[in-house]
Amino acid sequence: MNAVPPPERTFRSVAPVIALCWLVVFFDGMDVNIYGAVMPHLIDDPDLGFTTSTAGTIGSWTTFGMLVGALGCGTFTDWAGRKPMVTGSVVLFSLGSALCALAPSAAVFGAGRFVSGLGLGGLMPIGLAIVAEFAPPRRAALATGLMMTSYHAGGMAATGLGLALGPDHGWRVVFWTGVIPALVAVPLVLKWLPESPGVLLAKGRTREAEAVAARYLLPDPTAAEAPEAGAKGRFSAVAALFGPGRRLATPLMWIASFAGLLLVYGVSTWLPELMRASGYSLSSSVTFLMVINAGGIVGMLVAGRTADRFGAVKVSAVWFLLTACGAFLLKAQLPLGVAYAVVFVTGIWLFSAQVMVYAAAPSVYPPAQRATGLGWVTGVGRTGAVVGPWLGGAVVAGGNASLGFTTFAVAAVLGAVAISLVPLVRRNDSDPGTVRAVPHVLGHREGKILPKH
């Protein structure tokens, strides 16, 4: 009698997990973008003491907080657990939003944005690690893309809140809406978000680990997948990012993430001004930002499905190159309708090129190092989030919009080269005692370590 094959993990079986990750990242995107949505009201408030220079500095405080949060939270998550860190991150950026709403001065407001940044930076790598662990087999890239659509939806929600509440009720009311995540998402996370079986096993909670694995049709966790606890474990987790097969891959992943986030934050900050400097009207220039975010949502779905078939590395590299092409096209004086179309399709490529870098990370880092690896990939990439707005501002100040688009195109080519080299260096940087079958995400199949004969 033939044995009945075990049921396969599907999107339906893990829907609650992906839905909760979608929700918290939606609030992440809303909080990140809410600052820009109320910027004119902040500058016009005579009691706050905001200037355009102050606004730029506080924006840097936010991204610096995100950098610190991503680096620290990713490392701590592997031993503290996904669930406590998700909860803590949401509470942290909600508290930061409340501090901004109460701020009597620009300095206190900046402190609030830094606190928000700590939570915002920490949440993204955790959400990515959870989705990578629970996603259906051969659908990890699509699941990552689905989750990241929420970031853009949150950004569009922030714009809507700024337009609806800012003019009549003031900027403080808009920041009070940033407390909603702590009231809505935290109770749901505490009740429904499962802990990683590997983390549970590391804490000695073997039965709970096996129960979670069985409920969500995950493989039973093994000791090799359990992160090591304590300070030694945290140091070892970071050191392991440069172990065999990852010595060169890790820096390349960092470069690709840097280039991607430079593009995301640079374009998101300065696209309206670059389009305005190219001769488009103010209203059209602002609309371009909404159009490129709409393209970003479509892109997440397209890139995820494509990456599950051809591999996240290949899709990220091609998407980076297409972004460079889109940036070069925008240097020309295009008719308004054509410009909207180019901006939309560039949004499809630009945002998901960066996300596919994240989707490729599980093929580089094993389960016990996944949150740490993703934390450092996103954390180091946050330096691009700091450089992008500054670099765009320097170019805009020079009055040369064409140079701005060229700068972003060069960054896209850098990202394409870096991510393309990851499979090559992993193939040539394996432990000499093993022969590594390079994954196809690098494609979608799992990589295996085979004994050397």
Side-chain angles (χ1 to χ4, degrees), residues 68-82:
V68 174
L71 294 178
C73 201
T75 302
F76 280 96
T77 298
D78 275 328
W79 65 270
R82 280 32 165 188

Side-chain angles (χ1 to χ4, degrees), residues 256-268:
S257 183
F258 169 87
L261 284 173
L262 185 153
L263 284 166
V264 168
Y265 282 83
V267 171
S268 295

